[in-house]
Amino acid sequence: MRAVLLHDFGELRLGDVPEPECGPHDAVIDVRCVQLSVTECMLIAGDDVALHDQLADRLRRGPVQFGGHEFAGVVSAVGAAVTGVRVGQRVTAVETLPCGHCVSCARGRGDGCLTPGVIGFTRPGALAERVCVPATAVVPLPSEVGFSEAAAVQPLAGAVHAHAALAVRPGESILVIGGGVMGLLAVAVARHGNAGGVLVSTRSERKRELARRFGADDAVGAGEELTRAVAEFTGGAGFDVVVETAGGSRSVGLAGTETVDAAVQAARRGGRVAIVSVLPTRAELPAGTMREKAITLVHPRSGAGYYAQHTSVFEHSLGLIARGQVDVGALITHRLSGLEAVQEALEITCDKERFGAINPAQVQVGS
Ligand SMILES: [Zn+2]
C-alpha cells in the first residue's frame, strides 16, 4: 500500500510499504481523513521536543513511517479474537496504547502505563492507505460526526483533559492565551464546563472573532493590551485559571515561552495554569514568580483516559461534536486530497499564520 515515509528530518516522501498485518487483537482501518498534529510537525522539522531522540535514532537506521495519529476511517479487517469492532464500522482511534502488562496496566490503570505505544510514533500511523491498531484503541463514530470532524477530535480531547487537570469550579474566571485551535477548543470546553468569565488573548482579529463565537466573553490582543484587560476583567486580582496554548517552537510559528510568562503574570495568587503548548525539553519557566504567587502548574494528559465510569474522554469529545456543542468543523480551514498532498499539508500546518489556517490542514484519503 501507499504510505508517507520520513527519510530524514524535513523530508517526507510517498512510497510503498507492506500491507499492515492484522494480529488476532487488531483492527485494520481504511483511512478516510488524517491531519498532522503540530507536535508531529515539530518532530518532522527536527525540533528537540519529547520523542525527538528516539526518532533521530530510528532515522539513522532508515526511513520511518512516522506521524498520523489524528485520523478517522472505516474498519476493513478485524483479528480473530476481536469482539465489539466490526468490518464497515466508521471509527477513529485513541493514539496512546497501554502496554497491557506493566505494573500500572496490571492494576487496571492503563492511563498510567509505564511504556505506552503511540500510533504514528512507536508504530505506523495513518499517513497511509490503511492503519492497523489494537482493537481496544478503536472508538466508533456517532452517526452525526463526519470523518473530517472525527480526525480533529484528538485536540478536543486534549482541551477536555486540560480542563479536567485544572479542576475548574463553577464560576471561576478563565483566561485562554492563544486563539489557535487549542485555544478555541479550550474556550468551548470552558463554556460547557461551568466556567465564569472567559477572556481570550490572541494577536489575530479573526481569531478574536472566532473566540467570541466559541463562547468567550471578550477577546483582546497580547502584551500591554492583555495586562490592561486582566486588570479590568478581574478587578486587579488575576484569573483563577489560565490555559496557555500559544507557546512552542518558533519554527512552526509559535511564541517560544513568552506566553508562559504572560500566563503566570495573569494568574491570581494561588491560581492554576495549564501549559497545553508543547515546549522544548528544557524550556525556561518563571519558576520564581510561580513560587512567589503559589501558582499550581498542570499539563493535560493526551487523548486516552477516563474520568467517568463508562465514557472515555474520546467518546465524550465525540459527543460534544455530535450534539453540536463544539463546532470543530468551523476550525477546519484547509482540506486537501490524496496522500501526495501530505507535504503541502505539512507546510500549511507548520506555518498556519501565513496560510490563514486554524486547524491543521486535513488530507482526505481513499473514497
Ligand atoms: Zn502498561
Side-chain angles (χ1 to χ4, degrees), residues 98-105 110 112-116:
C99 74
H101 44 73
C102 71
V103 284
S104 193
C105 286
C113 177
L114 303 184
T115 52

Side-chain angles (χ1 to χ4, degrees), residues 57-207:
D57 203 42
R58 287 173 65 194
L59 281 172
R60 265 176 234 121
R61 283 174 271 140
V64 177
Q65 211 185 320
F66 173 83
H69 68 276
E70 299 180 3
F71 72 98
V74 177
V75 176
S76 60
V78 293
V82 172
T83 55
V85 177
R86 48 174 215 286
V87 171
Q89 216 170 7
R90 302 163 64 255
V91 299
T92 182
V94 177
E95 84 289 355
T96 311
L97 311 168
C99 74
H101 44 73
C102 71
V103 284
S104 193
C105 286
R107 291 183 191 133
R109 295 305 308 260
D111 57 349
C113 177
L114 303 184
T115 52
V118 184
I119 295 171
F121 292 85
T122 62
R123 56 188 293 148
L127 293 176
E129 289 177 286
R130 277 167 288 287
V131 59
C132 179
V133 303
T136 48
V138 170
V139 186
L141 304 186
S143 59
E144 302 88 343
V145 178
F147 292 121
S148 173
E149 295 166 302
V153 77
Q154 201 261 354
L156 176 57
V160 169
H161 275 300
H163 190 80
L166 286 160
V168 175
R169 292 180 289 255
E172 285 194 307
S173 58
I174 300 189
L175 169 66
V176 176
I177 296 184
V181 64
M182 291 312 300
L184 294 167
L185 293 175
V187 171
V189 171
R191 194 35 79 217
H192 290 289
N194 267 329
V198 177
L199 178 71
V200 173
S201 164
T202 168
R203 292 182 194 278
S204 153
E205 176 50 42
R206 175 175 165 232
K207 290 175 182 172

Side-chain angles (χ1 to χ4, degrees), residues 33-38 40 68-72 92 126 150-152 154-155 360:
C33 185
V34 60
Q35 63 181 40
L36 285 158
S37 76
V38 172
E40 286 172 343
H69 68 276
E70 299 180 3
F71 72 98
T92 182
Q154 201 261 354

Side-chain angles (χ1 to χ4, degrees), residues 16-47:
D16 287 309
V17 299
E19 285 289 335
E21 259 178 57
C22 185
H25 300 281
D26 293 336
V28 175
I29 300 165
D30 277 351
V31 179
R32 293 294 169 83
C33 185
V34 60
Q35 63 181 40
L36 285 158
S37 76
V38 172
T39 307
E40 286 172 343
C41 290
M42 288 193 247
L43 283 163
I44 289 169
D47 286 343

